[in-house]
Amino acid sequence: MEIIVCIKQVPDTETKIKLKPDGSDIESEGIKWIISPYDEYAIEEGIKIKEKLGGTVTIVSLGPKRAIEAIRTGLAMGADKAIHLSDPAYLTADTFAVANALAAAIKTIPHDIILCGRQAIDDDSAQVPSMLAELLSVGQANFVIKLEVSQDKKAIAYRTVEGGAQEVLDIDLPAVIAVTKGINEPRYASLPGIMKAKQKKVDEPAPSALNLDANAVGEKGAKSKVVKYALPPERKAGKIIQSDFPQNVQDLVKLLREEAKII
Amino acid sequence: MSGILVIAEQKDGKIKKVAFEILSEMQGIAKDTGFELNACLIGNNVSGLADQLAQYGAQKVFVVDNPSLAQYNTELYTAAAAGAADAAKPQVLLGGATVAGKDLMPRLAARLKTGLLSDCVLVKLNSDKKFVFQRPIYSGKVIADSVCASDIAAATIRPNVFSLKQPDASKKAEVVKVNVDVASIKPRVRVKEIIKAKSEKPDLTEASVIVSGGRGMKARENFKIIEELADVLGSAVGASRAAVDSGYADPSQQVGQTGKTVNPSLYIALGISGAIQHLAGMRTSKVIVAINKDPEAPIFKVADYGIVGDLFQIVPELTKEFKKLLAE
């Protein structure tokens, strides 16, 4: 089974995000970078499939030089090799240009299943998996919480839909599977794993090596762009209801009805 | 090019409220730009629903009707929506940021080679009369304004953000049938079975009221008191990451940066301390109520109403009071 895992390096969830003074971008100084948590589930799932069915796990990531840390972590967990789209021409892309570059990279290698996290926790777009599926002309499954892959290139995926219901999907591979929390518990990289990861191959193809036109990547290939970043207005603290129980509960219900007019 | 096309999602013959919300909001922008405001319906025997869309301002309703579209399927619905877009030739393409909308719209955008902005909370025109889409990123820690560089601009709109206008019952839709040969498509992903949820509760991302429990719930079985409160309010049940990681609630219930971002009218946080990741996911709720025994809990800094106390005593009482109130 040829397994591809797409990952993105993002700021840690604990990070307090600051903006550049002119609102043109996020201040990247002082940020601790991690693998987007949903992508960790994708790496773990890829390694589990390999352990069961054999094959190789290839990590594909688009991001600046620093993203190599995230890639090495994935390799230390047990992935075999990686493609790092690190050329500056790829950067400042939107979801479409990212999906387009990832698709071009994936097309150069055998691929039976492409695993992604359900969304990156920085821009929260949740678009790349579906766009990737379209650009690779394969099927897709989003919000997958359980996956069973078989040697005959079929898969059964359980995906969460409205109100806690689940759809059971019958999938012909290759397909893009975007996983969500609950599918597995990602392993920690072992010390031997970390040592071995340093020797694993990481390709860094330029756009031309993937037959990508200079106008199709990065900012030029983007179909959308952010024109302004701002911080949301701070929420003001409201009132603490001081009366004793059970009067406090009655007061709360009264406030919700009469003041907030919400019930 | 003839304006705005709203992909109106229907499920089992019922149009999702978010479609009416988008149409309501777009009436003003359509007037300002001179754009036509149109909608699209995909499904089996759905033409009869078109007038409902007209009542919220849709002029034409492009209908792709086919027995194989009875249930949502990514590949079939993408083909159908692309066919409708081809017929409607919109400049702006909008859909709801629902479970199906988040699956369909990126695939459709890639097919149409358009930019797409997810989960938008505001649509406005800039000085060049270009559409600007505002969306929270970093699950709400930052707000970004974006524009599309493609011929078509596309976006998904978060439910419960735009308010509904009064429907005009006198309006009838101009139905445009669009033929798309979906029967010849062999989808590579097929829904084999649907496992129903244990309880019929609304989805977190669409719910207008959410009751959430945190670490302070202490055990999975204690969520029963939340379920009872939720039943009275007709609300969804959420949880903090701490509660999910402790096994008290399912991952699909998690609200916050590594869970769902929610936007209800009323959010009741029970035994939730209010970590930065959790606050990011629920801070746009219209009214926040917090009940926690720790007066220093950060959740009180964002709550409109707070009670410092024992939730195991307070919640059953609250259920009783709401029941009484709603029975009036």
Side-chain angles (χ1 to χ4, degrees), chain A residues 143-161:
Chain A
F143 308 109
V144 170
I145 196 160
K146 187 175 162 194
L147 182 64
E148 294 154 5
V149 181
S150 53
Q151 203 63 269
D152 60 353
K153 311 240 163 124
K154 301 250 180 231
I156 303 282
Y158 294 70
R159 88 181 196 104
T160 55
V161 291

Side-chain angles (χ1 to χ4, degrees), chain B residues 12 19 23 37 44 57 100-101 131 137 139 150 153 171 181 218 263 265 271 273 308 315 327:
Chain B
D12 304 326
L23 285 168
L37 179 56
N44 183 31
F131 278 71
I137 56 174
S139 57
S150 43
K171 288 277 172 64
D181 181 18
K218 295 203 175 96
N263 184 46
S265 304
S273 65
V308 179
V315 175

Side-chain angles (χ1 to χ4, degrees), chain B residues 219-241:
Chain B
R220 192 175 180 97
E221 51 274 21
N222 293 339
F223 262 72
K224 199 165 154 269
I225 60 169
I226 295 191
E227 298 278 345
E228 286 163 358
L229 175 55
D231 284 339
V232 170
L233 295 172
S235 68
V237 175
S240 70
R241 179 166 126 184

Side-chain angles (χ1 to χ4, degrees), chain A residues 6-220:
Chain A
C6 300
I7 69 167
K8 183 177 185 184
Q9 192 189 41
V10 299
D12 185 65
T13 54
E14 300 284 346
T15 310
K16 191 157 165 48
I17 305 290
K18 294 192 192 97
L19 302 182
K20 296 217 163 119
D22 62 355
S24 63
D25 208 349
I26 307 291
E27 182 57 74
S28 56
E29 286 295 304
I31 287 179
K32 184 185 163 211
W33 298 93
I34 58 166
I35 301 174
S36 184
Y38 297 114
D39 299 348
E40 273 192 359
Y41 300 119
I43 298 172
E44 176 64 30
E45 200 61 21
I47 297 167
K48 280 172 75 175
I49 296 168
K50 181 193 156 176
E51 285 169 347
K52 189 176 153 210
L53 302 175
T56 46
V57 178
T58 306
I59 288 178
V60 183
S61 186
L62 188 153
K65 289 283 178 199
R66 60 167 158 73
I68 188 66
E69 279 176 51
I71 293 170
R72 291 281 176 213
T73 305
L75 294 171
M77 285 169 74
D80 300 289
K81 56 192 172 67
I83 300 176
H84 183 188
L85 305 179
S86 63
D87 191 302
Y90 290 116
L91 309 180
T92 341
D94 73 336
T95 48
F96 182 85
V98 168
N100 199 39
L102 294 174
I106 292 167
K107 278 178 189 164
T108 63
I109 51 174
H111 50 273
D112 295 318
I113 185 163
I114 299 109
L115 296 159
C116 304
R118 83 157 209 236
Q119 73 191 57
I121 59 147
D122 52 359
D123 63 28
D124 288 330
S125 289
Q127 295 178 12
V128 168
S130 305
M131 287 185 162
L132 194 53
E134 172 67 16
L135 297 168
L136 291 170
S137 301
V138 300
Q140 71 185 54
N142 283 305
F143 308 109
V144 170
I145 196 160
K146 187 175 162 194
L147 182 64
E148 294 154 5
V149 181
S150 53
Q151 203 63 269
D152 60 353
K153 311 240 163 124
K154 301 250 180 231
I156 303 282
Y158 294 70
R159 88 181 196 104
T160 55
V161 291
E162 277 109 345
Q166 285 184 16
E167 275 180 7
V168 186
L169 304 173
D170 230 335
I171 300 172
D172 301 332
L173 298 180
V176 176
I177 311 285
V179 302
T180 190
K181 183 170 179 167
I183 191 165
N184 57 41
E185 272 306 321
R187 69 194 67 190
Y188 288 102
S190 66
L191 191 58
I194 294 168
M195 298 310 289
K196 263 193 251 169
K198 291 179 182 161
Q199 311 302 324
K200 290 178 180 171
K201 195 163 165 254
V202 180
D203 274 337
E204 293 184 79
S208 58
L210 304 178
N211 292 319
L212 282 168
D213 190 85
N215 288 321
V217 293
E219 211 171 346
K220 286 183 191 148

Side-chain angles (χ1 to χ4, degrees), chain B residues 42-96:
Chain B
I42 300 169
N44 183 31
N45 286 328
V46 289
S47 298
L49 305 174
D51 286 345
Q52 293 178 38
L53 297 167
Q55 289 167 12
Y56 285 95
Q59 293 162 276
K60 289 181 196 145
V61 178
F62 294 83
V63 178
V64 190
D65 217 314
N66 193 295
S68 49
L69 296 169
Q71 238 103 52
Y72 177 76
N73 176 285
T74 313
E75 290 164 82
L76 300 184
Y77 269 57
T78 304
D86 198 39
K89 303 215 174 349
Q91 262 163 298
V92 178
L93 185 63
L94 304 173

Side-chain angles (χ1 to χ4, degrees), chain B residues 182-325:
Chain B
V182 285
S184 69
I185 301 170
K186 296 260 171 297
R188 288 153 293 192
V189 177
R190 301 159 297 270
V191 178
K192 196 166 103 161
E193 189 191 336
I194 293 173
I195 303 171
K196 285 214 172 108
K198 279 161 252 152
S199 61
E200 286 287 320
K201 292 220 163 61
D203 192 61
L204 280 172
T205 52
E206 294 174 56
S208 58
V209 181
I210 294 173
V211 189
S212 279
R215 200 197 300 274
M217 294 306 298
K218 295 203 175 96
R220 192 175 180 97
E221 51 274 21
N222 293 339
F223 262 72
K224 199 165 154 269
I225 60 169
I226 295 191
E227 298 278 345
E228 286 163 358
L229 175 55
D231 284 339
V232 170
L233 295 172
S235 68
V237 175
S240 70
R241 179 166 126 184
V244 171
D245 288 350
S246 307
Y248 306 167
D250 294 332
S252 64
Q253 293 176 285
Q254 188 179 321
V255 171
Q257 196 170 5
T258 49
K260 288 180 176 136
T261 304
V262 298
N263 184 46
S265 304
L266 175 61
Y267 189 90
I268 305 180
L270 304 170
I272 290 175
S273 65
I276 181 170
Q277 301 96 326
H278 189 78
L279 299 182
M282 43 67 86
R283 59 177 300 146
T284 59
S285 306
K286 285 189 193 80
V287 175
I288 297 172
V289 171
I291 298 170
N292 201 300
K293 66 178 184 339
D294 174 12
E296 301 301 320
I299 191 81
F300 287 122
K301 293 207 174 72
V302 300
D304 300 279
Y305 304 105
I307 296 181
V308 179
D310 176 10
L311 68 92
F312 295 106
Q313 186 185 39
I314 293 165
V315 175
E317 189 67 18
L318 193 56
T319 306
K320 212 169 84 191
E321 286 296 321
F322 276 131
K323 208 185 245 172
K324 219 161 52 182
L325 181 78

